[in-house]
Amino acid sequence: MQKALAILSLLVLSISVAWTQPNARVQIIHNAADPAVASVDIYVNGDLFLDDFGFQKATPFVDVPANTELSIAIAPGNSASVDDALATFPVTLDADETYTVIANGVLDPGAFADNPDGKSTGFQLFVKTGSKEMADNDDEVEFFVLHGATDAPAVDVKARDVATLVDGAAYGDMTDYL
């Protein structure tokens, strides 16, 4: 009887562990201005995750598996399968963490103007850890800034031409929440 209870307990524990797969929260933003990737398909571990995802579009925050390596593949819109991928990125996300992932850059930097600050503009994923799905205070707005224009020099971000919120951000620079 004890052996049967031990096996039953182990079975319940196994089902419970499988049922409570740790997750991370992720929002994906398409900010790659390269016309070759105006619309992309995104695959996760070979399965289609987003179909025909357009430039300057964003997903809501979604749950994805954590603590395991994910293969994120970016393919042209209307791709037939993950085999059409233009770039693949291995990503491991921490459980109970929230991320914003921004696809940015160009596929062939030689076909575009050089970045004025000498930064690499190759296609990549910028990742913001500790992303917020809402502001800490209901009466305020919180945001972060990512300089994502491959052909622009360092920039300042000002509020009403009075306060400088970001000073001298170069391509790829990302701020904390403001």
Side-chain angles (χ1 to χ4, degrees):
M1 180 68 163
Q2 283 184 339
K3 191 173 189 178
L5 287 174
I7 292 172
L8 181 59
S9 295
L10 183 59
L11 179 61
V12 168
L13 178 62
S14 296
I15 291 171
S16 174
V17 167
W19 192 262
T20 58
Q21 163 72 35
N23 287 319
R25 302 275 292 159
V26 174
Q27 176 185 43
I28 299 172
I29 300 172
H30 181 338
N31 193 53
D34 185 335
V37 290
S39 175
V40 296
D41 293 341
I42 299 177
Y43 293 84
V44 178
N45 293 344
D47 295 325
L48 185 63
F49 181 72
L50 289 171
D51 188 32
D52 297 329
F53 190 53
F55 174 58
Q56 295 185 334
K57 300 293 181 193
T59 68
F61 284 91
V62 295
D63 289 327
V64 296
N67 300 334
T68 184
E69 185 173 286
L70 303 174
S71 175
I72 299 176
I74 313 296
N78 296 319
S79 65
S81 75
V82 70
D83 295 334
D84 297 330
L86 302 166
T88 302
F89 303 93
V91 176
T92 301
L93 304 173
D94 293 331
D96 303 319
E97 183 62 80
T98 305
Y99 299 88
T100 301
V101 178
I102 303 131
N104 214 85
V106 295
L107 293 177
D108 180 8
F112 293 86
D114 289 337
N115 178 271
D117 296 320
K119 300 277 187 149
S120 171
T121 59
F123 187 77
Q124 63 185 305
L125 301 179
F126 291 113
V127 179
K128 175 72 169 174
T129 304
S131 292
K132 296 183 179 187
E133 295 187 53
M134 62 180 48
D136 291 337
N137 181 334
D138 290 343
D139 296 329
E140 295 180 353
V141 173
E142 292 182 76
F143 61 94
F144 66 90
V145 174
L146 168 68
H147 183 325
T150 59
D151 59 351
V155 297
D156 296 339
V157 177
K158 296 186 177 202
R160 298 185 186 143
D161 292 326
V162 178
T164 299
L165 302 176
V166 179
D167 187 27
Y171 175 72
D173 287 350
M174 189 180 314
T175 67
D176 290 330
Y177 274 87
L178 305 169

